[in-house]
């Protein structure tokens, strides 16, 4: 959407005029050589001219930039009408003090002299003064000439546009209800940062239909939305604070949900929370406008297998994806085409991510490896496998603990605290922090044998002070990156297998979801 700079200036000029900032209006108009030439009500303006309400017309003319001949005709006619009414003092002031008449005196002395005659004359002959026509007809002609030079603009356009923009941001969740907005800085007032704490208390519960369950869940970067993708193909947007469906989104209020033909396995918001990318079991990717539920782009053959992970580039122009087909791909949102492909994994790709500077792509696979790729050349820069699980508790029964195996790597997430590190989650009893070269920096143990306490998902807190991991049997492990220890465990998250975990971008709010068709949020 292109915006003409002149239109922006005109909007500011209107605001200055309405605010009584005449000097500002005049200075900006002169510096930019831009004239507003706008009136609020064309019918009222025309009536004022045709009924001779010059006390209302002249102040408006003074604020317009009109052709010299039109302005001269207007002031000449007003001067004559003042003479007809016997208002010689007013006529004389117009004739001798207005700039347009001063110019007329210099350039059209005979015309100016004629007006001086009527101002000084004791009698007024309308037929002679109005050149053989009537003042009513001259008013009509003058009104037509003036209206050709002006445009009609609703009042308070600047405030109206700002109001519309804020309303739109609220509709997308970029401004959660009740959020104050700092117009000057162009952002919502930042909530006071909460001290990051372990979520141990059940907050809200979202129940899905009996035949379905959430396969994935993501909070929007703005914090006002929680998106879920379900086994039945539906995508729903929830209020993370109330746990209710966002019915302020018209399409959800009308039960016209975003959806796929198959199970939705992956979701990701763009950084401005405007778009949502979704990947499904049948290998398709769709990109949605969250505010309207409109599908902006559809990649019918994004992958040959189910799409397990999606993420946007920072500018929202590309979608990175991983799949059961073992491939990592980059898709162009504008072109709708495949831009890059990264080959090398020998099993499912479970997660993909850009590094903070977007120079590299990180992928995690069921082949037990993490790969770091050059985002430009698609070449693999590094491949490493997290260390196999080791029994941290020698008192455990050795027979129940498997060693020597290479567990599937479920995710590799950039560390919020350190751009050069990633948080690697394997299907084991530990979460590992590694460098991009694969060197282990820290290992966080659950203090339990891998079976049946295998970790299935993990996510860091927004500032990286905590790492939260969930196990198959419904336990939430809270690791402190400060103490390097397991500080707390939440038991019985769900009555069935826990599938994943997500963290709110600003608040101490964690979402977990399970195969029994429910999602829960947790707070300290």
């Amino acid at each position: 959407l292109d915006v003409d700079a002149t239109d922006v200036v005109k909007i500011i000029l209107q605001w200055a005029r309405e605010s009584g900032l005449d000097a500002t209006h005049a200075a900006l108009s002169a510096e930019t050589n831009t004239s507003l030439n706008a009136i609020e009500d064309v019918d009222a303006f025309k009536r004022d001219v045709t009924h001779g309400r010059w006390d209302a017309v002249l102040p408006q003319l003074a604020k317009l930039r009109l052709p010299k001949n039109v302005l001269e005709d207007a002031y000449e006619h007003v001067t004559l009408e003042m003479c007809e009414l016997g208002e010689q003092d007013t006529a004389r002031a117009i004739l001798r003090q207005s700039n347009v008449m001063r110019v007329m005196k210099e350039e059209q002395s005979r015309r100016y002299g004629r007006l001086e005659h009527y101002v000084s004359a004791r009698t007024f002959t309308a037929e002679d003064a109005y050149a053989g026509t009537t003042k009513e007809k001259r008013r009509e002609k003058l009104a037509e000439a003036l209206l050709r030079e002006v445009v009609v603009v609703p009042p308070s356009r600047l405030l109206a546009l700002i109001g519309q923009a804020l309303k739109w941001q609220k509709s997308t969740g970029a401004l959660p209800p009740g959020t104050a907005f700092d117009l000057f800085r162009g952002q919502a007032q930042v909530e006071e940062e909460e001290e990051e704490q372990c979520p141990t208390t059940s907050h809200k519960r979202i129940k899905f239909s009996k035949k379905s369950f959430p396969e994935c869940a993501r909070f929007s970067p703005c914090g006002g939305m929680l998106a879920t993708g379900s086994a039945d193909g539906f995508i729903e947007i929830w209020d993370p604070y109330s746990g209710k469906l966002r019915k302020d989104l018209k399409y959800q209020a009308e039960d016209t949900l975003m959806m796929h033909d198959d199970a939705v396995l992956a979701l990701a918001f763009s950084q401005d929370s405007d778009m949502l990318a979704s990947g499904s079991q049948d290998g398709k990717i769709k990109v949605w406008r969250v505010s309207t539920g409109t599908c902006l782009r559809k990649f019918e053959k994004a992958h040959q297998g189910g799409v397990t992970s999606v993420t946007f580039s920072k500018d929202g122009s590309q979608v990175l994806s991983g799949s059961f087909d073992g491939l990592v791909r980059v898709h162009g949102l504008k072109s709708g085409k495949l831009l890059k492909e990264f080959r090398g994994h020998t099993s499912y790709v479970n997660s993909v991510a850009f590094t903070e500077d977007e120079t590299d792509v990180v992928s995690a696979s069921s082949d037990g490896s993490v790969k770091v790729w050059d985002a430009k050349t698609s070449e693999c820069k590094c491949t490493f496998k997290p260390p196999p699980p080791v029994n941290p508790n020698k008192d455990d029964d050795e027979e129940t603990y498997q060693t020597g195996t290479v567990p599937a790597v479920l995710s590799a997430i950039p560390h919020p605290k350190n751009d050069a590190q990633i948080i690697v989650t394997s299907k084991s009893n530990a979460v590992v922090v590694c460098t991009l070269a694969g060197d282990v920096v820290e290992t966080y143990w659950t203090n339990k044998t891998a079976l049946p306490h295998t970790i299935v998902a993990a996510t860091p807190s927004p500032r990286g002070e905590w790492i939260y991991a969930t196990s198959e049997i419904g336990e939430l492990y809270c690791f402190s990156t400060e103490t390097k220890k397991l500080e707390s465990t939440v038991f019985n998250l769900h009555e069935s297998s826990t599938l994943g975990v997500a963290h709110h971008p600003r608040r101490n709010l964690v979402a977990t979801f399970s195969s029994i068709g429910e999602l829960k949020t947790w707070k300290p």
Side-chain angles (χ1 to χ4, degrees), residues 1-284:
L1 180 63
D2 295 325
V3 178
D4 193 328
T6 302
D7 290 338
V8 176
V9 174
K10 287 181 177 180
I11 290 173
I12 298 173
L13 284 172
Q14 183 197 44
W15 172 81
R17 190 179 72 179
E18 291 176 341
S19 302
L21 303 175
D22 296 333
T24 301
H25 179 279
L28 181 60
S29 180
E31 187 173 355
T32 61
N33 195 29
T34 302
S35 175
L36 189 58
N37 273 20
I39 56 177
E40 295 177 6
D41 190 331
V42 66
D43 293 328
F45 181 75
K46 184 177 181 179
R47 282 195 302 271
D48 287 340
V49 175
T50 56
H51 287 78
R53 301 187 186 113
W54 306 117
D55 57 333
V57 174
L58 289 180
Q60 294 190 67
L61 295 185
K63 297 175 182 178
L64 301 175
R65 183 174 295 180
L66 300 171
K68 180 182 170 186
N69 64 311
V70 174
L71 203 55
E72 288 174 344
D73 289 346
Y75 275 78
E76 179 183 49
H77 183 81
V78 175
T79 301
L80 291 174
E81 285 208 20
M82 293 301 102
C83 292
E84 183 180 11
L85 293 171
E87 297 285 348
Q88 268 74 18
D89 289 342
T90 303
R92 188 175 292 108
I94 295 173
L95 189 63
R96 297 176 182 176
Q97 296 177 18
S98 60
N99 290 332
V100 64
M101 302 310 279
R102 287 177 185 150
V103 174
M104 180 189 288
K105 182 179 181 180
E106 294 178 3
E107 298 180 354
Q108 303 178 63
S109 58
R110 290 185 63 182
R111 185 178 182 184
Y112 183 85
R114 177 172 174 270
L115 293 174
E116 278 279 17
H117 167 72
Y118 287 112
V119 170
S120 304
R122 295 183 178 181
T123 60
F124 184 88
T125 305
E127 184 177 355
D128 178 53
Y130 298 130
T133 185
T134 65
K135 67 179 177 184
E136 287 76 20
K137 289 183 178 180
R138 284 185 58 131
R139 287 174 180 174
E140 289 284 350
K141 186 177 180 181
L142 180 60
E144 291 174 4
L146 290 171
L147 290 176
R148 283 195 294 268
E149 303 299 333
V150 299
V151 294
V152 180
V153 179
S156 305
R157 287 295 295 146
L158 178 62
L159 298 180
L161 288 172
I162 292 173
Q164 290 169 1
L166 295 178
K167 184 177 180 181
W168 177 82
Q169 289 191 59
K170 284 185 178 180
S171 72
T172 64
L175 287 177
T179 301
F181 188 79
D182 188 326
L183 191 60
F184 180 67
R185 292 190 296 172
Q187 62 187 35
Q189 291 183 3
V190 179
E191 300 173 4
E192 290 187 9
E193 286 193 352
E194 296 180 332
E195 179 185 350
E196 294 193 344
Q197 301 176 21
C198 294
T200 56
T201 305
S202 179
H203 177 234
K204 298 293 179 182
R205 178 174 179 265
I206 298 173
K207 186 66 178 174
F208 292 76
S209 65
K210 293 182 179 180
K211 297 182 180 181
S212 185
F213 57 89
E215 292 270 13
C216 51
R218 288 292 181 272
F219 288 97
S220 62
C222 68
M225 295 178 282
L226 173 60
T228 57
S230 303
D232 56 11
F234 287 109
I235 301 167
E236 293 166 294
I237 307 296
W238 308 85
D239 184 318
Y241 311 117
S242 68
K244 295 181 180 179
L245 193 67
R246 285 280 301 269
K247 290 295 183 74
D248 57 320
L249 297 172
K250 185 178 179 182
Y251 59 95
Q252 294 201 147
E254 297 174 349
D255 289 330
T256 310
L257 302 179
M258 298 178 286
M259 67 173 296
H260 281 259
D261 295 329
D262 212 330
V264 179
L265 306 181
L267 291 171
F269 280 96
S270 58
Q271 285 207 340
D272 60 4
S273 302
D274 179 40
M275 296 183 291
L276 179 70
S278 56
S280 59
Q281 179 72 47
D282 54 10
K284 297 178 182 179

